[in-house]
Amino acid sequence: MAAPPVRPAGILTDMPPTILITGANRGIGLELARQYAAGRWQVRACCRQPERAEELGHLAGSAAGRVTVHRLDVTDGKAIAALADALRGEPIDILLNNAGVFGVSGEHPGNLAESDWIDVLRVNTIAPFMMAGAFLDHVKQGSRRIIATISSKMGSIADNSSGGRYSYRSSKAAVNMVMKSLAVDLKEAGIIAITLNPGWVRTRMRGAGAPLSVEESAAGLRGVLDRLKPEDSGNFFNHDGSVIPW
C-alpha cells in the first residue's frame, strides 16, 4: 500500500492528511471512508443519522481512531455552520461532497411536483456550495486544498440522449456550474474545485445491475483525487480520470 501524502514543510507535518466526506453512511461514501482510513488518512465521516449507520459505526470502531462520525444534515445551514465551528482550526485536505439524492421515479412533464424538485436541488446543488463556504478556511489550511463534489454523467448536457430524470439531471448540471465558478473564484487561494462522476455503481441508489462495484468506483475516484494538479481545477472528471464534456 502506498504511503499517505505528506504535508509540505511548515504545515503541521506531524499530522496525517484529513478528508471530510458527506453521505458517508453507505455506498460510495462509506467505501471512500474505508479506503482513506486504510490509507492512514484522518476521516471525518458525516451522515444524517449516525445511530442508524451500523456499517459506518463498525468502521469507526475498527479504524484505530482514524474515522470520526459526525451527525450532519447537509440541507441544514445551522448544522453545517455548527460542525465547521466544532472543527475550527483543523486543516481539511479534501472536502468531498458526496451526499446526494436521486429524486422520485417516473418524472415527466405534468407529474413532477415543485417541492420534490426543490428537495433534490437542496441536497445535490445548494448543499455543496454551503459546505464549501462553511469549510473554506479549513481547506485553505490543508496541504491538498481540494473541494470535490460527486456529480454524475447524467448532469452532462452534451451526453444527454435519453432525457427524463429532470430533477436529478438538472441538479447535477447545476452543481457542475457551481464548482466551475468556485474553481474560478478560489484560484487565487490555491484551491482546486472539481466535480467527479463515480460511474454507474451497484448501490442502493443506482441499482443492482450496474457494472461497477463500489470498491472499483471509490478506488478510481481516489486515484483522480491523488493526481490532481492546480491546472485541473474546474474540470468534470470520470472515475477513470478522463474528462467529461459539460
Side-chain angles (χ1 to χ4, degrees):
M1 180 180 295
V6 178
R7 295 184 189 276
I11 305 182
L12 299 174
T13 54
D14 58 332
M15 295 180 65
T18 298
I19 183 170
L20 188 152
I21 305 171
T22 64
N25 56 309
R26 65 173 189 263
I28 295 169
L30 177 62
E31 182 59 26
L32 283 166
R34 182 179 290 115
Q35 291 191 18
Y36 272 103
R40 291 185 288 163
W41 283 60
Q42 188 70 31
V43 179
R44 296 290 187 175
C46 304
C47 63
R48 287 188 304 163
Q49 297 175 303
E51 66 278 3
R52 298 180 61 181
E54 293 184 7
E55 288 188 74
L56 180 58
H58 291 155
L59 174 62
S62 63
R66 289 190 292 272
V67 177
T68 306
V69 180
H70 300 275
R71 183 184 303 276
L72 180 65
D73 180 345
V74 296
T75 67
D76 185 340
K78 291 182 179 179
I80 291 174
L83 180 58
D85 187 61
L87 299 179
R88 181 182 300 175
E90 178 176 325
I92 293 177
D93 294 274
I94 301 176
L95 170 61
L96 183 57
N97 296 301
N98 169 71
V101 293
F102 205 38
V104 298
S105 61
E107 295 175 354
H108 60 76
N111 84 328
L112 174 55
E114 178 182 347
S115 58
D116 289 337
W117 199 335
I118 291 172
D119 287 344
V120 174
L121 288 168
R122 283 196 182 105
V123 177
N124 293 356
T125 306
I126 299 172
F129 179 73
M130 302 307 293
M131 289 290 296
F135 288 92
L136 183 57
D137 286 342
H138 303 73
V139 175
K140 286 180 178 179
Q141 294 175 58
S143 61
R144 298 299 311 281
R145 295 186 175 184
I146 294 171
I147 299 175
T149 295
I150 300 296
S151 182
S152 169
K153 201 172 183 181
M154 291 179 71
S156 167
I157 295 173
D159 186 69
N160 185 0
S161 60
S162 58
R165 285 293 177 185
Y166 294 92
S167 60
Y168 185 75
R169 285 187 185 278
S170 63
S171 70
K172 293 303 187 180
V175 82
N176 287 347
M177 182 60 81
V178 167
M179 297 301 290
K180 177 66 175 181
S181 286
L182 284 175
V184 174
D185 294 340
L186 300 179
K187 181 178 180 179
E188 292 300 316
I191 292 176
I192 299 170
I194 62 162
T195 49
L196 294 162
N197 172 48
W200 187 15
V201 185
R202 292 190 295 275
T203 66
R204 190 170 77 184
M205 178 175 166
R206 301 303 300 274
L212 282 175
S213 69
V214 290
E215 294 83 4
E216 291 168 329
S217 174
L221 295 172
R222 283 186 63 213
V224 174
L225 292 167
D226 286 347
R227 296 189 296 269
L228 283 179
K229 304 179 293 296
E231 55 266 32
D232 295 322
S233 192
N235 279 320
F236 181 14
F237 287 101
N238 197 27
H239 63 92
D240 63 6
S242 59
V243 176
I244 297 175
W246 299 117

